[in-house]
Amino acid sequence: METALDKPTAAASSSAEDRILVERAQDGDTRAFDDLVRKYTPKLYGMVYNMTSNREDTADLLQEIFAKAYRSVKRFQGKSSFYTWIYSISVNMTLNFLKKRGRYAKVSLDDVDSGIQNDPEFVKVTTAARDTVREVNINELQKRLNAAMMKLSEDHRTVVTLYDIQGHQHNEISKILGVSEGTVRSRLFYAHRILQTYLEDLV
Amino acid sequence: MSEFEDIQRLIRLKRFEAPKEDFVEDFLAKFHERQRSELLRQSSLSLLWERVSTYFDDLVTPRMVLVPAAACVGLLAIWGAMNIGSGNTTDATGSLVSSQSMPSVLSKQPAFNVDSQLIREVENDRALEIEGILLSRHFETDTTLQPELLDVVSVSGSATPVSAELQPVAGFNR
């Protein structure tokens, strides 16, 4: 499971590795592009999934994203990292998809990894709940979190997904979205405030 | 620490929602399949284009091109003529002016009204009689005119008797 924050050295090494793979892909090495797909699929899946709340849409959209990246990789000049580039493509395509899909969409959630049982936050939420009237199980918690996320605007949901769920830094999100860091922080602040109103009984 | 730390920790639990382990390899297989089908579609289109081009290159000689080209030009000319003759109305773009109506001044034809008692008699009372006489002149070999009808024909000016002879006009060809 991908966890939050990458250390700078790991990020640098990852970036150098990406550059080599991209150069090979630009020379027509399809296996190099496959390696990029393998590397970025879990990360991009998480981003698209938390934006759409539908796993079938996520898989389809991810195919479109990598197909577009494959068509465009020869034009990639390395002005930004591949990581920023592919994330920018993903965010733009996801936002366009959400605009086309409209407001009412069928929710289709992934299973929750059993590792959540060991997460301190989950333990805290569920243990606290046992002493009260409410009972919170995994499925209910998943639905509550998802519903709260879907209350957010697409811009707010994007920054929450990238920052809170995926663990990107403000400056990285700023580059991906093409907005200032101040805008990222501002969106996060308002998004958290909205989330708190919907989830305050769980915290 | 942020005032929303609790809510951030809570929302971070969403990272445990994940597809099954074999998702990535299945996804990659589907991606390859998609790439192949795109390539095949592109190559089949280019193959079809190549075959069509080759077919026409072999088949069409300059002499054979002339006949259909002439036929096309002919059809276009007929079509154009029909369009012009079909009375298209002028539109806002003013593309055609051929079917514009005649100016109102020209469309007014001068009335030929001569108020004459004799004409009225011819038209009203003796019309049938004249018709009968004219028909009889047409079918009879005897061309003698009845004297009472001669004045009518000569006065009215609008009806030329069938039996009248056309005389050459002097100096017509000058």
Side-chain angles (χ1 to χ4, degrees), chain B residues 6-24:
Chain B
D6 288 340
I7 209 77
Q8 286 179 267
R9 277 206 304 267
L10 187 62
I11 209 76
R12 208 165 284 156
L13 288 175
K14 275 188 74 65
R15 72 184 186 277
F16 287 102
E17 291 176 31
K20 292 175 182 172
E21 285 180 4
D22 52 357
F23 174 81
V24 175

Side-chain angles (χ1 to χ4, degrees), chain B residues 124-142:
Chain B
N124 298 330
D125 301 330
R126 301 173 66 185
L128 289 174
E129 192 180 339
I130 290 172
E131 187 179 359
I133 291 165
L134 292 177
L135 284 171
S136 68
R137 294 280 178 232
H138 182 74
F139 291 108
E140 284 174 13
T141 53
D142 185 4

